[in-house]
Structure formats: structure tokens, C-alpha cells
Amino acid sequence: MNFNFSFWNCAASPPGQRKRTSESVITDIACVIDYLFSQCSVEFVALCEVNRTSFLRIKEKLATPGLTPLLFNNKTATGSRFDIGCLYDSTRFEVITGKTHTGNIGTSTLKIAQQLTLEFHQHHLPLQLLVSHWPSRLHSIAEDLRNKCSIGLRGFVDNLLSASHQLILMGDYNDEPHDRSLFKNLSATNDRRLVISKPDYWLYNPFWKTLAASTPFTHGETHHDFGTCYSKANNRNAWAAFDQILFSGSFLTTGPWYLKESDTGTVLPPGLRQAVLDTKHVFDHFPVMGSIILKE
């Protein structure tokens, strides 16, 4: 039994945006989501940068029938809201809303993660998900905020691992796999031997591979295929690997769900690369996808 899932920062309602997202952008978002369900065989898609209005508009535009929508836009103590939603095939499983994890740094409330439980109809082998969208690098103290988010998230991870849950983390972390927040604070590594040696501690991060192009340079090429996020930049990398999916060590060792890494990585739907590279379009992220297989 396979289970494919995806995360995407769809930029429908970026933080601070007040104007209504255009109809053409909503249509483009729906087309990408339909591609994920129809061509990538995903059964669950988590989105960030959505609000109530944009999320409902996206759902109305979808061609994929029968998807169940859930929006998580809880308000924090300081008035900001989570901007996460999901769409899923409820014929195979249900998504149970768990705790909304927050933290504090000074007078700011941090939106650390939305916890979800996936309960499958055919068996009693649930999955725990933690979906995140951490502060943008555009903020002057963003590194401190993400550092605090990661420390808080690791505490929640430890609680779930101590109860022997199989755990998947996904999100736009606005940090790369080698940054302190993920590599040091969350203990998310690409060293499989290390993960296998202590699976109840280390997290496995297969998205280190998105830091480098999958093919060598050839004369005349005009683009790279590395990274998950693009920003027009001078004198620094335009591509970054901010969007990642992390797995608890049991996906490499004891199961019963096991990582299928060959089907885990960045997804490039037709036309999305061109839209991301077009500075007039709102898209700046690719979807990322994970795949696991059940061996009972």
C-alpha cells in the first residue's frame, strides 16, 4: 500500500497582502493541485499562504472531484493567523485536527506548526503530521524567529517520538537543510547511517538532494533544476531549498510505514517553472512530494 502526499506554498494570500488574488492566479493554483492528484497520485496536499477566502476559491476551481478541504487559520494571542490548509481524499482516510503549536519570543507569537493525525479506514496505523510555515527572510529578526520555532518544534517532536508515533514534518521553513534551525536544532540529517543508529532521535531529511542540480552542466543551458524556491537575486543564489519533508527514523527502520525515496522530491508541473521565473507572476515555490509504503 502506497501513500503519496505533497506540500506547496501556493502564494494565494501571502502575509501582509490585502488585495484580492486575481482569478487567473487562483485558476493556476487549482491546475497545479489537480496535476498533483491526477499525475502524481497524491491523496493529501497541504498548502500555505492561504486564507479563508482564497482557500474556498481554490476549492471551487478544482477539477478533481470529492476532495475534502480543511483550513487551519487559528488566530494567535497577538492577532496573527495560521495560513495553512489541506485537501485530501477522504475515501481512504480522515484527517483529524490536532494541536496548533505556537511559541513566544518577546512580544511576538510564533506560529510553529499545525499538528494533524491521518487515520486510515483499512487499518489502525495512523500517521502524525506537523505542517509549518516559518517567518520569511525578509524580516530583520527572521533568523532568531526561525531558530526559536525549531527549538519549540523539536520539543513537540520528542513528545511524539516518545509515544512511538511515526512522524512526518513538512513545510516552507525559509531555511535550507544545512541551516542551524533544521540541521542542529531539529536534528534533521541526510546521513542514513546516523538515523538508523538512533531512529528514535534523528530525523531523516531527503531534501538535501535539492541543494544541487541532478544533472551536470552542459554548454548552452539556461536554467538549473535545483532548489524549491526562486527569488530574483544579485550576488547570491537565486534558488533555495526552503520547502522540505522530514521523516522520523522509523520510516528507515522498524516501519510499518517505510520511506519510498525514489518518489520523494520536488514536483515540476507543466508551466510552473516558467511561472516561477516570471517576476510578474506570484509563484515562487515548487510543490514537494513524499511517498511511503506500508509493509504490515
Side-chain angles (χ1 to χ4, degrees):
M1 175 180 172
N2 281 29
F3 175 56
N4 296 338
F5 51 93
S6 182
F7 170 87
W8 185 33
N9 180 337
C10 68
S13 302
Q17 175 180 293
R18 295 182 178 275
K19 65 179 181 179
R20 179 181 172 89
T21 304
S22 71
E23 199 69 17
S24 63
V25 168
I26 296 294
T27 299
D28 288 347
I29 293 170
C31 286
V32 171
I33 295 171
D34 283 328
Y35 179 89
L36 292 170
F37 279 97
S38 65
Q39 301 303 311
C40 301
S41 300
V42 305
E43 298 173 85
F44 172 93
V45 172
L47 304 170
C48 74
E49 295 197 357
V50 292
N51 60 24
R52 183 173 298 279
T53 300
S54 62
F55 188 62
L56 291 175
R57 291 173 66 201
I58 292 167
K59 176 64 173 65
E60 291 171 358
K61 287 285 185 180
L62 292 172
T64 307
L67 296 179
T68 299
L70 284 177
L71 178 67
F72 313 103
N73 68 335
N74 307 57
K75 184 182 287 189
T76 69
T78 53
S80 63
R81 290 186 180 273
F82 275 71
D83 63 352
I84 292 169
C86 73
L87 297 153
Y88 68 97
D89 178 5
S90 59
T91 62
R92 284 192 63 192
F93 60 92
E94 289 296 335
V95 176
I96 310 301
T97 303
K99 185 176 180 180
T100 300
H101 294 287
T102 61
N104 295 288
I105 182 168
T107 58
S108 299
T109 299
L110 302 175
K111 299 184 285 287
I112 297 176
Q114 175 63 53
Q115 184 175 339
L116 306 172
T117 302
L118 272 57
E119 295 187 348
F120 292 83
H121 301 319
Q122 292 184 337
H123 54 73
H124 300 288
L125 299 169
L127 294 169
Q128 294 292 325
L129 271 59
L130 289 166
V131 186
S132 298
H133 182 205
W134 289 354
S136 167
R137 294 194 170 203
L138 297 176
H139 298 300
S140 59
I141 61 166
E143 184 175 355
D144 294 336
L145 300 178
R146 293 192 302 275
N147 187 63
K148 189 76 170 182
C149 282
S150 63
I151 293 170
L153 184 56
R154 182 66 215 197
F156 308 139
V157 166
D158 286 339
N159 289 337
L160 290 168
L161 292 180
S162 67
S164 300
H165 289 294
Q166 285 205 272
L167 177 61
I168 298 171
L169 294 76
M170 63 178 74
D172 172 7
Y173 297 105
N174 274 298
D175 268 337
E176 303 208 68
H178 53 75
D179 284 322
R180 170 171 289 275
S181 62
L182 297 170
F183 185 48
K184 296 292 187 181
N185 296 347
L186 266 183
S187 299
T189 178
N190 62 338
D191 188 332
R192 297 170 193 157
R193 180 199 58 80
L194 199 59
V195 175
I196 291 169
S197 73
K198 187 68 173 173
D200 58 349
Y201 176 76
W202 295 102
L203 303 177
Y204 181 57
N205 185 356
F207 282 81
W208 280 75
K209 63 188 176 185
T210 63
L211 291 169
S214 61
T215 57
F217 171 79
T218 57
H219 179 70
E221 74 172 27
T222 58
H223 62 265
H224 293 288
D225 66 345
F226 67 84
T228 66
C229 174
Y230 177 81
S231 61
K232 188 176 181 180
N234 295 314
N235 301 318
R236 65 178 176 86
N237 283 359
W239 290 98
F242 291 163
D243 309 275
Q244 298 157 61
I245 302 175
L246 319 176
F247 298 84
S248 58
S250 60
F251 285 94
L252 275 62
T253 53
T254 57
W257 290 98
Y258 292 87
L259 173 63
K260 189 179 180 184
E261 191 166 357
S262 58
D263 291 341
T264 297
T266 307
V267 183
L268 300 176
L272 184 57
R273 185 196 300 275
Q274 290 78 9
V276 166
L277 293 173
D278 182 355
T279 55
K280 295 181 180 180
H281 203 292
V282 300
F283 289 165
D284 53 1
H285 291 257
F286 294 132
V288 291
M289 174 177 160
S291 182
I292 55 177
I293 185 168
L294 179 63
K295 297 181 180 179
E296 298 184 75

